[in-house]
Amino acid sequence: MGKPYVCLAEEAASELVIKKSRFLCRLVPVETEQQAAAALGEVRKEHYNARHNCFAMILGANRNFEKSSDDGEPQGTAGVPMLEVLRKSGLTNILAVVTRYFGGTLLGAGGLVRAYGGAVSEALRTAKREVHIPAVVLRLRIDYADYGKLQSIAAEYGAKVEADYGEKVEARAVFRQADYDAVAKRITEAFLGADVYEKDGECYLTEQVVPQEPTE
């Protein structure tokens, strides 16, 4: 698996009014281009009478997919500055849509760049984030008397444990990938070398993080 990556925990929004033009930003957590297209369609339906619904998106754990659109604004004045703000935020799997209701006064290329980028920055300012951390899943079959040992190791490394109780305890423990070698050693020591666990795949742990001011 790759490195940790940061996404939106939930949708966020902002509104800027500049010379009577309204710029409404909506940030949406998405995982695929199809999900982004559906979310964009909802915004366009809601704001069907707006002059522009510009967007930018970044997708993938490695942030390797980008797309943006000026939606009729002068080339490079909307989608690109929105995308640049998303790049600087460090977030991925995110769609930003900025809807503009024209107020009757032309803003010029520079004014549009500042307005569209500023609307995204404002929405990001208080957006809730979550970090996805590569993790390893372990399956364990242990005696009831030894379950406390596993719980102690899990608490030490901030792991998540689920258990079913039958003849023995059948446990599923999820540890950060970076901790795997240390955890494997601790389990071996705690259970005196007994073969009590097996690796059962990989996943991501999700942790919420405190919002940070976007980089201008």
Side-chain angles (χ1 to χ4, degrees):
M1 299 182 76
K3 299 178 181 179
Y5 62 92
V6 185
C7 302
L8 289 176
E10 59 187 39
E11 290 191 16
S14 70
E15 177 176 350
L16 295 180
V17 179
I18 303 174
K19 295 183 179 179
K20 297 183 180 180
S21 280
R22 296 173 63 211
F23 295 86
L24 310 177
C25 179
R26 181 177 173 186
L27 303 179
V28 185
V30 293
E31 294 185 353
T32 66
E33 192 174 0
Q34 291 72 25
Q35 290 179 359
L40 178 60
E42 291 179 3
V43 174
R44 285 174 169 164
K45 183 177 180 180
E46 179 181 354
H47 298 287
Y48 66 91
N49 57 337
R51 179 166 290 193
H52 307 282
N53 286 290
C54 307
F55 74 84
M57 71 177 80
I58 296 178
L59 303 176
N62 296 318
R63 310 182 77 225
N64 55 355
F65 180 88
E66 299 180 346
K67 190 174 183 179
S68 64
S69 170
D70 297 313
D71 193 33
E73 291 283 28
Q75 185 175 359
T77 61
V80 170
M82 292 168 61
L83 184 58
E84 186 60 25
V85 173
L86 294 184
R87 287 172 179 158
K88 291 179 179 179
S89 75
L91 295 169
T92 191
N93 290 351
I94 181 172
L95 168 71
V97 185
V98 176
T99 300
R100 182 190 182 189
Y101 285 93
F102 185 55
T105 301
L106 297 176
L107 302 182
L112 290 173
V113 167
R114 290 188 293 273
Y116 280 99
V120 177
S121 292
E122 181 62 22
L124 284 170
R125 189 175 62 81
T126 57
K128 294 182 179 179
R129 294 157 165 78
E130 58 186 23
V131 59
H132 295 252
I133 302 168
V136 176
V137 180
L138 301 183
R139 294 281 182 180
L140 302 96
R141 189 169 189 268
I142 55 182
D143 294 329
Y144 280 79
D146 290 329
Y147 186 43
K149 296 178 182 179
L150 175 60
Q151 290 177 308
S152 178
I153 295 171
E156 181 180 345
Y157 289 94
K160 296 182 178 181
V161 179
E162 299 173 350
D164 291 324
Y165 304 96
E167 181 181 344
K168 289 194 172 185
V169 179
E170 305 280 348
R172 178 181 184 272
V174 182
F175 293 86
R176 293 180 181 85
Q177 189 176 64
D179 295 333
Y180 175 69
D181 289 341
V183 167
K185 181 179 179 181
R186 288 279 286 108
I187 291 176
T188 299
E189 292 173 347
F191 292 90
L192 304 178
D195 187 14
V196 298
Y197 79 91
E198 63 179 0
K199 192 173 178 180
D200 190 34
E202 298 175 336
C203 64
Y204 281 93
L205 286 170
T206 302
E207 296 181 0
Q208 191 162 324
V209 295
V210 177
Q212 297 179 350
E213 294 287 340
T215 303
E216 294 294 347

